[in-house]
């Protein structure tokens, strides 16, 4: 049975902190249901992420041990490009799944029961095409901005004083564009125009959610990454010791344990990313609601102040 009493609808929030708080509770209160529906998919993405992390660590440690060796493009493709492409595709599908699940809350006003069929790895993902378009647009805008920034910096380094704050606002704007385009199902141009007003007028709210998420989820994320970090340090030190002539070697069971530790860390980080998306989307809805209410109040006052309407 769905619990509809403890969570407000998407457009019922006003304050930033309450929206963030319920953005966390929306997922934690439905954690059991969501994990049952999504754990096979999360596990696959986590395994791909662990594959990429181990490839990067192995390649970086080999460069540290023998920095004079020439880059082998075949090895570079095998260790970076292939796992990187798989990881990018997996992360794109993961975020699309999170937005799909969150859109059900927007439609219903509560998180409905979500299940997956027996032979499915996760629930049906409907937001993938929109997210792909939104991400490609964001990369295009950032590419144009960076190219313009390079030109301006080459003329004067003082332009960085303006370029850095503008970049922060641009990133917030792009996040809100994706949120509006994917979740609210607006057109791309409509989401660009609408999200600009939300970003500028609600900039303080988005700075607040960014700082809070960075502090809280950052600390929790470090704890989640401890198994992976410890394994990475042990592996790199062992490789450097072997390069220096030490006869010792890691036990045979270390690599499976290493892979498992990184997989667990990636799995936990995916859960934190889902919470971050939920909080940001909730704040987006709260800012949008506040602006609509202020606009309605101004319209009402203007009608009352017209002569003959008093």
């Amino acid at each position: 049975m769905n619990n509809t009493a403890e969570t407000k609808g998407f457009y019922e929030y006003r304050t930033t902190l309450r929206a963030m708080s319920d953005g966390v509770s929306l997922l934690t209160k439905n954690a059991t249901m969501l994990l049952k529906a999504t754990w096979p998919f999360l596990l696959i993405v986590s395994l791909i992420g662990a594959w990429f992390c181990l490839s990067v660590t192995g390649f970086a440690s080999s460069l540290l041990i023998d920095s004079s060796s020439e880059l082998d493009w075949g090895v570079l493709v095998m260790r970076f490009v292939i796992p990187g492409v798989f990881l990018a595709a997996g992360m794109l599908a993961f975020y699309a799944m999170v937005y799909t699940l969150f859109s059900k809350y927007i439609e219903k006003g509560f998180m409905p029961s979500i299940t997956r069929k027996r032979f499915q790895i996760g629930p049906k993902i409907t937001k993938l095409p929109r997210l792909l378009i939104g991400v490609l647009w964001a990369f295009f805008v950032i590419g144009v901005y960076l190219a313009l920034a390079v030109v301006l910096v080459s003329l004067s380094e003082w332009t960085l004083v303006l370029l850095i704050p503008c970049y922060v606002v641009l990133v917030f704007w792009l996040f809100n564009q994706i949120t509006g385009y994917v979740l609210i199902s607006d057109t791309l141009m409509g989401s660009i125009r609408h999200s600009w007003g939300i970003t500028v007028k609600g900039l303080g709210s988005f700075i607040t959610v960014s700082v809070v998420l960075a502090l809280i989820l950052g600390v929790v994320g470090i704890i989640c990454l401890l198994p992976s970090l410890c394994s990475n340090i042990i592996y790199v030190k062992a490789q450097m010791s072997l390069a220096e002539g030490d006869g010792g070697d890691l036990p045979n069971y270390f690599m499976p344990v290493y892979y498992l530790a990184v997989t667990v860390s990636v799995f936990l980080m995916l859960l934190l990313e889902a919470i971050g998306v939920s909080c940001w989307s909730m704040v987006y809805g709260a800012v949008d609601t506040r602006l609509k209410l202020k606009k309605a109040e101004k319209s009402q006052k203007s009608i009352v102040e017209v002569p003959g309407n008093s």
Side-chain angles (χ1 to χ4, degrees), residues 74 98 161 167 171 194 226 293:
V98 174
V161 177
Y167 180 76
V171 170
H194 187 61
L226 281 179
L293 289 176

Side-chain angles (χ1 to χ4, degrees), residues 254-307:
F254 176 79
M255 292 307 296
V257 173
Y258 181 19
Y259 193 86
L260 177 62
V262 179
T263 301
V264 170
S265 294
V266 175
F267 188 92
L268 296 176
M269 290 301 298
L270 291 178
L271 299 181
L272 292 180
E273 289 293 325
I275 293 176
V277 170
S278 178
C279 291
W280 189 279
S281 301
M282 284 287 203
V283 173
Y284 177 93
V287 174
D288 191 17
T289 300
R290 290 202 303 266
L291 295 178
K292 288 179 179 177
L293 289 176
K294 290 181 180 179
K295 184 177 181 181
E297 290 176 358
K298 289 181 179 179
S299 299
Q300 188 66 27
K301 288 181 180 179
S302 62
I303 293 175
V304 172
E305 292 174 356
V306 172

